[in-house]
Amino acid sequence: MKLAAVALSAAALSAAAGAAWAQDTVKVGALMIDSGPLAAFYQYSVAGLETAVVEINEAGGINGRPVELVSMTYSGTPEAALQTATRLVKNDNVAAITGMIPTAVALAISGRATALDTIIIDPLSAAVPRCNQNYFRIKASSEMLGASYKAFLAQNPVESWDTIAGDTTSGHDNAESFAEDVKELGGVVHKQLFTPVPTPDFGTYITQLNQEPAKGLLAIIYGSDAVTFAKQQQQFGLLDKYDVVLGNNFAIPAVLPAMGEAALGVIQNVSYIPQVEDQEVRKFADAFAKIAGHDPDDVAFDMYVSMIALAQAMNKAGTEDASAVSTALEGLVIDSPVGPLEMRAEDHQLTRPYIFAEVVPAAPDSGKVVDYEIKTIIPAADYMPPPADCSM
């Protein structure tokens, strides 16, 4: 386990702080994972948090003091997360915790937020953990993801669908939920194929999909498997045989460069892409690029939002006391690049729009092969499931 305080540039601090900030700081802990399957999100996560810290400090900090981000790496297991969170609170005196909190960790750590007497704000997991007065969620839940697809289908009716998904619990759950929505809206799902994870050769499944394809295809394939499937189907022109191809965590920003032209035409559901910002005033995207050297993705954006939410709540409360900050977070509305985001008081879930964007050829001077073009934005009011039944 290694501890590293994220250092801000002297210029950024001096511009916002001044001599009065020679005092103490407000420390926020970040649980980070830099090895294993989630390591691909590490650099984006760090830069997203750093972008927020610079913005917060340039605006005056939290309750008149600069933010100090204390980043601690851990193995990604629930046990390690609990130990690391406890160390951050007890030894480093952080006022809140955010960072890379995958689903298994979220389910374990959410119930400890009150015992640790700290705010835990989760920007990564899609699970809906048990409710806790000090636990808040930034990322859209699995239920929200499914509901956004239903809203898209209602706007863009397609009479028949095929689905291909990884043979995992989430793959089956997402495929079944999609099939139920299609049926409710008057359509039908023909083929439902489930592939081993990982799958080095999708040939058998591509052959099956090629036989009398439906009007639409939903691909629920993640990570390196998504790249493999996209590349292999390209040899047979499979995606071109469908009128609509939807991606569920398929052609996401993290893997799109590796997919390249093989992903052309896919409509991917994303919670943030730089195209959603005014191209003349890309507040978050340009600030992130100054730190990272490239555009942000949705993971980076959610990390950024978690820090901004904490800062706004602490300034609203006038204190870093967990109980007061929890109250301030409930119902808090954040003015973000994708529009107003409200932290629902009933279940501590951030409400947010969903973006459906098509993969298209990139602009010649962009340095990219492919990029996104927004097809539609589903407002939170048009798809958000009701609050979870919570007892804080």
Side-chain angles (χ1 to χ4, degrees):
M1 193 183 303
K2 58 191 179 195
L3 178 65
V6 177
L8 300 177
S9 69
L13 280 174
S14 61
W21 277 14
Q23 309 169 22
D24 58 338
T25 61
V26 176
K27 295 181 179 180
V28 175
L31 297 173
M32 306 302 290
I33 303 169
D34 62 357
S35 61
L38 291 176
F41 300 121
Y42 176 78
Q43 295 297 337
Y44 280 90
S45 297
V46 169
L49 294 171
E50 288 181 342
T51 301
V53 169
V54 171
E55 179 179 320
I56 293 163
N57 286 342
E58 288 180 343
I62 293 176
N63 296 320
R65 291 177 291 153
V67 177
E68 177 186 351
L69 191 65
V70 181
S71 177
M72 185 176 288
T73 59
Y74 74 111
S75 64
T77 67
E79 296 78 12
L82 290 170
Q83 293 172 5
T84 307
T86 300
R87 179 177 172 182
L88 284 167
V89 172
K90 303 299 183 184
N91 296 357
D92 297 287
N93 300 312
V94 301
I97 292 173
T98 186
M100 297 174 69
I101 303 174
T103 296
V105 170
L107 294 172
I109 203 173
S110 58
R112 295 293 299 276
T114 301
L116 288 170
D117 193 28
T118 193
I119 297 296
I120 298 178
I121 189 159
D122 175 3
L124 188 64
S125 78
V128 181
R130 55 180 171 168
C131 299
N132 184 288
Q133 188 61 44
N134 289 355
Y135 194 89
F136 295 82
R137 297 192 66 262
I138 296 296
K139 184 178 175 66
S141 68
S142 298
E143 288 80 0
M144 290 167 63
L145 178 65
S148 72
Y149 280 100
K150 185 176 182 180
F152 179 84
L153 292 175
Q155 292 182 7
N156 304 272
V158 177
E159 63 188 43
S160 63
W161 289 87
D162 294 332
T163 61
I164 181 168
D167 191 6
T168 63
T169 299
S170 62
H172 281 270
D173 288 348
N174 288 330
E176 291 302 326
S177 174
F178 184 81
E180 291 172 5
D181 292 338
V182 167
K183 182 178 179 180
E184 183 178 330
L185 294 169
V188 61
V189 172
H190 290 319
K191 303 186 191 78
Q192 276 190 328
L193 306 182
F194 296 96
T195 67
V197 178
T199 298
D201 185 358
F202 284 88
T204 300
Y205 305 99
I206 293 170
T207 298
Q208 292 180 64
L209 291 172
N210 253 324
Q211 297 172 359
E212 299 182 8
K215 296 293 185 181
L217 173 68
L218 175 68
I220 314 171
I221 306 177
Y222 311 151
S224 59
D225 273 1
V227 176
T228 300
F229 174 69
K231 293 290 189 180
Q232 291 181 1
Q233 69 76 29
Q234 189 179 26
Q235 303 172 37
F236 302 91
L238 175 66
L239 300 190
D240 293 335
K241 297 178 181 179
Y242 290 94
D243 294 342
V244 178
V245 179
L246 279 179
N248 179 324
N249 284 310
F250 175 59
I252 59 174
V255 300
L256 188 62
M259 287 182 170
E261 294 180 346
L264 284 173
V266 174
I267 298 176
Q268 178 60 53
N269 174 313
V270 289
S271 55
Y272 168 85
I273 49 175
Q275 289 86 337
V276 77
E277 297 192 56
D278 186 323
Q279 293 305 298
E280 299 300 321
V281 187
R282 301 196 326 164
K283 179 182 177 182
F284 169 64
D286 288 346
F288 178 93
K290 287 181 181 179
I291 291 174
H294 53 77
D295 280 344
D297 66 356
D298 49 353
V299 172
F301 179 73
D302 287 351
M303 295 288 168
Y304 164 84
V305 170
S306 73
M307 287 293 297
I308 296 298
L310 281 171
Q312 291 189 7
M314 289 176 178
N315 281 326
K316 178 181 176 182
T319 177
E320 295 87 62
D321 174 74
S323 177
V325 175
S326 174
T327 299
L329 275 167
E330 292 182 341
L332 181 73
V333 177
I334 304 163
D335 183 19
S336 85
V338 300
L341 308 177
E342 180 182 357
M343 183 62 75
R344 223 161 36 183
E346 296 89 344
D347 59 355
H348 293 186
Q349 170 66 57
L350 192 73
T351 66
R352 55 196 307 167
Y354 248 126
I355 304 159
F356 284 82
E358 182 176 354
V359 179
V360 297
D365 59 348
S366 68
K368 304 176 183 178
V369 174
V370 293
D371 210 340
Y372 294 106
E373 180 180 284
I374 295 174
K375 301 298 291 183
T376 187
I377 298 177
I378 310 291
D382 290 355
Y383 85 92
M384 280 289 295
D389 185 15
C390 274
S391 177
M392 298 295 178

